[in-house]
Amino acid sequence: MSVLGIDIGGTFIKFAGKSGSDVKKGKIPTESRFDSILTEIKKLCKNFHPKSIGIGIAGLYDKKTGKLTASPNIKFLEGIDLKEILEEELSVPVVIENDASAAAYGEYMYGAGKGGKIVVCLTLGTGLGGGVVINGELVSGVSGSAMEIGHITIDINGWRCHCGRKGCLEAYVSSYGLERFYFFLTDQSIPSSQIIILANEGKLEAMKALEEFARHLAVGLMNITHIFNPDRVIIGGGIPAYYPAVIDLATAELKKIAFELPFRDVKIKRADLGEYSGAFGAMALAEKLKR
Ligand SMILES: [Zn+2]
């Protein structure tokens, strides 16, 4: 019996497919059109012959209507009845979940969250996503939009977020947040990937920008710790992958600002599955559906 998990992004789909105990993963570039994505999913189905498919997708996926309602990075999929179309085209049951929730489930089942009781996962990329698994169950909310951790407000008069609100955590803790910190320090606009390279070379301004970034990440971690009292918080995405010091900096700051009791029992860890947390989570959700 095989199952397939697919993480749909704006320009790539990532997959994890399982036949027996054999797991294969990969990344396929796609054009930013639904038909291009569908063609690639069909090819994967020919290889894997899955009995069920899990999909992780960026944005707010409405579990009641089966439609993606808001997704800044994959606008071309908004309003499409994704579940119905995929089940019809692929002739297998399909489960769809927000990509950060899928990533949380992936890390819980196969990665840094294994064995955790309350596992919160943050996905730090262009935006900031979140997911939580409590006692083995993914908590995705009544409509499917729980854990939009990137859009909790940390400063009501703060920086503008890509969602349009002011002072969201994501406005600081995201690749564009890091670029802003660097800009305020140097008056220069350079991509976050470049800032990380400079910080790894020991350039002071870049390191300082990442310190500011970590200080704001710690505020997010404090809110999470105070709400959930989790045993694991897992941080995935490019910034901690290429500059792991950000996790130590944020943890040290968290120690200073959080209540002592929940801080005592929380471990802040880097994601184990790298960019594949979402695909693995989607695969695990497909497996659960099959049962
Ligand atoms: Zn926001």
Side-chain angles (χ1 to χ4, degrees):
M1 296 280 264
S2 334
V3 286
L4 184 60
I6 298 168
D7 188 354
I8 299 180
T11 48
F12 281 97
I13 60 173
K14 287 167 220 152
F15 69 89
K18 193 176 184 182
S19 316
S21 57
D22 188 32
V23 178
K24 284 198 177 72
K25 65 178 184 184
K27 191 171 166 181
I28 305 166
T30 62
E31 285 168 45
S32 299
R33 294 195 327 262
F34 182 52
D35 59 336
S36 168
I37 289 173
L38 188 61
T39 306
E40 294 305 329
I41 296 178
K42 281 184 175 167
K43 281 189 208 158
L44 286 171
C45 284
K46 275 197 183 137
N47 285 334
F48 284 95
H49 304 288
K51 293 284 174 278
S52 57
I53 296 177
I55 304 272
I57 193 158
L60 266 57
Y61 173 73
D62 184 339
K63 290 200 164 173
K64 291 183 178 166
T65 64
K67 288 178 183 159
L68 195 65
T69 63
S71 184
N73 295 322
I74 33 178
K75 276 214 167 305
F76 58 94
L77 288 182
E78 280 182 12
I80 291 178
D81 198 334
L82 212 54
K83 185 171 153 72
E84 195 179 292
I85 296 175
L86 289 175
E87 287 190 335
E88 212 172 275
E89 293 275 345
L90 310 170
S91 310
V92 288
V94 172
V95 56
I96 302 179
E97 193 54 75
N98 166 268
D99 61 345
S101 285
Y105 198 57
E107 286 293 330
Y108 170 74
M109 290 296 287
Y110 300 104
K114 255 194 226 170
K117 267 189 181 169
I118 300 183
V119 179
V120 178
C121 184
L122 301 184
T123 310
L124 237 166
T126 315
L128 172 61
V132 60
V133 178
I134 299 179
N135 295 328
E137 289 296 322
L138 181 62
V139 179
S140 53
V142 173
S143 333
S145 73
M147 285 305 284
E148 283 297 330
I149 195 79
H151 309 288
I152 58 169
T153 306
I154 59 166
D155 180 355
I156 54 170
N157 298 310
W159 290 352
R160 185 74 67 185
C161 177
H162 278 180
C163 75
R165 294 173 184 84
K166 269 186 172 180
C168 289
L169 184 60
E170 178 183 299
Y172 307 85
V173 182
S174 59
S175 54
Y176 66 91
L178 177 59
E179 288 161 11
R180 283 168 171 172
F181 285 123
Y182 189 78
F183 179 79
F184 276 96
L185 287 164
T186 63
D187 247 354
Q188 284 173 39
S189 288
I190 59 169
S192 59
S193 52
Q194 194 64 36
I195 300 169
I196 290 168
I197 291 172
L198 292 174
N200 280 322
E201 286 170 357
K203 298 284 188 309
L204 279 181
E205 285 100 343
M207 289 169 76
K208 189 99 191 79
L210 277 148
E211 264 170 45
E212 276 304 303
F213 175 94
R215 228 159 55 84
H216 287 74
L217 170 59
V219 174
L221 294 174
M222 177 190 74
N223 290 331
I224 289 167
T225 307
H226 289 174
I227 294 170
F228 290 102
N229 185 195
D231 48 353
R232 309 269 174 89
V233 179
I234 295 157
I235 305 177
I239 296 173
Y242 295 108
Y243 196 75
V246 89
I247 294 186
D248 301 332
L249 288 166
T251 307
E253 180 69 15
L254 178 65
K255 188 175 195 286
K256 288 186 213 157
I257 60 175
F259 282 127
E260 226 178 296
L261 180 63
F263 179 78
R264 184 193 67 192
D265 289 327
V266 68
K267 280 206 168 57
I268 316 287
K269 295 178 120 187
R270 196 149 54 115
D272 270 352
L273 302 169
E275 58 180 339
Y276 289 95
S277 313
F280 272 81
M283 182 181 81
L285 288 166
E287 201 163 28
K288 207 173 165 201
L289 188 72
K290 196 185 70 178
R291 273 190 245 124

